[in-house]
Amino acid sequence: MDFKMEHGFIAQKYENNLERMLMIRYGELGLKGKNKSQFINRLIKNIQYALRNVTSKPVVSTWGRIMIPCDWNVNEIVDQLQKVFGIYSMSPVVKVDKDMEIIKETAWQVLQEAMQKGGTFKVESRRSDKTFPVISPEISKQVAEYIFDHCDESFEADMHDPENMLNIEVRDEGAYIYSEVITGAKGMPVGTGGKAVLMLSGGIDSPVAGFMTMKRGVVIEAVHFHSFPFTSERAKEKVIDHCRVLSRYANAPIKLHVVHFTEIQKAIHEKCSADYGITIMRRFMFRIAEKIAQKEHALAIVTGESVGQVASQTLESMVAINDVTKMPVLRPLVGFDKEEIMERAEKIGTYDISIRPYEDCCTVFLPPHPKIRPSIKESRRLEALLPVDELIEEALAKTEVLKISI
Ligand code: ATP
Ligand code: MG
C-alpha cells in the first residue's frame, strides 16, 4: 500500500487540541430507517472486532461517518479495515480547533505530506457550522494564499483535475483537514444479510465464493467433506487455513463443519455406475449441507461452481444435483472465468493455500468419464440402491465442528 502518513511533526508543532483520526465513509446510500441503524451498528461491531488487537479506542459515529481516534498506528488500522465489508472509503484526518490560523498552518502541513508524491493540488472547503464566521470559498481562498506564501514553485494548483485534494471541513466539534482517500472493501457489513452454508473444498474456487457471499453481508458457516484416509489430514488443514483467511473478512470466527464422507463415497463407488459417481456424490453433499444449514438457521447453500468449467458444472448437472434440495443454492462465481477467479483468490490471500498439492475427495474417486448430462431420473434410480438416510445420519453423527479465527 502506498499509504504513508507521518504526522509526528504536526503534533509537535501544535499541541493545542490536535487530534488524529481515521474517518470512515460507508456506502449503500439507499438505506433507510431501521435498516440503516442495523447497518451502522453491525459495521461498528465488525470494525471493533477487526481492530481488537490494534486499538482499544472507541469508534464514534457522527454525521454519517465513523471516526476512529488513532495515534501512530494508522497504517495498521487501515490495513485491518480494508477487510471490513461496508466501508466505502477512509481518510486519515487531522482535527483542530476552529481557528483560521491553526487551520491554515495545519492544512499547509497536510498538503506538504500529500505532495511528496508530486502532482497538482486544489483546496476545497465545507462549512456545516454556520456560526463559523468565514464562509467556505473564503476558507479555501485564505488557505490557498497561505500555501502560496510558503511553498516553492513545485506546488502547482489545478482547479479542474488536481492529483491532490486538500479538504477542510468545519463542523460543530472542530475543523477536519485531510487529503488522502483510501478505497475500502465496499459491500455490506457481514451480519446484515442472514446466514448461508459454504461448501468449502480446499480448491481455488470455493473460498472465493465465500468471500463474494460475505461481501453482500451474509454470514457463512463452512462445510467440508473429508474422506479420511483417502484424503489426508493435510487436506483438512488446507480448509482450516482457508477459514482462517476468510475469518478476517467475516470479522468474526468461522464455524467449520468437517463431515466424515468416507462411507458414503465407498457406498457410491460400490453400488452406482461410475459415470454417475460425481453426480450422486454431489447430491449427498447437498443433502448434508442442507441438513447442517437447517440446524444452524442458515437460509442458503453456497458453492464455488461456475458454468461449464468441468463435467459436473454443466447446467444439466446442476439440475440433477439441485434436485435434492429446496434451499436456494448461491453460485457467486457463475459468470467468472477461471483466470478471474484465480486473480481474486490471490488478492484475498487464499490462492497459495489452494495450490498446495493435496488431493481432494473428488479426485480420489474420480471416474474416467463422468456423465456430462446426467438426468434426475437416473440419479434417483441409482440412489435407490443405497441406504441414503442411514448414510447421511451416520455422516452427520461423525461431523466435527471447529471454530476458526486468525
Ligand atoms: P473448488 O476450486 O472450490 O474445489 P472446483 O472448480 O474444483 O471448485 P468441483 O470440484 O466441481 O469444482 O466442486 C464444485 C463445488 O462443490 C466446489 O466449489 C465446492 O463448493 C463444492 N465441493 C466440492 N468438493 C467439496 C468438498 N470436499 N467439501 C466441500 N465442498 C466441496
Ligand atoms: Mg475442487
Side-chain angles (χ1 to χ4, degrees), residues 228 267 302 348 367-368:
F228 190 78
V302 182
I348 301 168

Side-chain angles (χ1 to χ4, degrees), residues 310-325:
V310 288
S312 62
Q313 295 177 12
T314 60
L315 284 181
E316 288 87 347
S317 269
M318 286 184 192
V319 170
I321 296 164
N322 237 140
D323 173 48
V324 299
T325 178

Side-chain angles (χ1 to χ4, degrees), residues 97-107 125 132-135 138-143 146 168 170:
D97 285 345
K98 291 184 284 184
D99 172 310
M100 271 317 288
E101 286 314 303
I102 296 177
I103 290 173
K104 283 192 274 189
E105 289 173 38
T106 313
S125 306
F132 189 67
V134 189
I135 59 169
E138 184 60 25
I139 298 173
S140 298
K141 187 166 161 267
Q142 286 190 26
V143 169
Y146 186 94
I168 297 152
V170 180

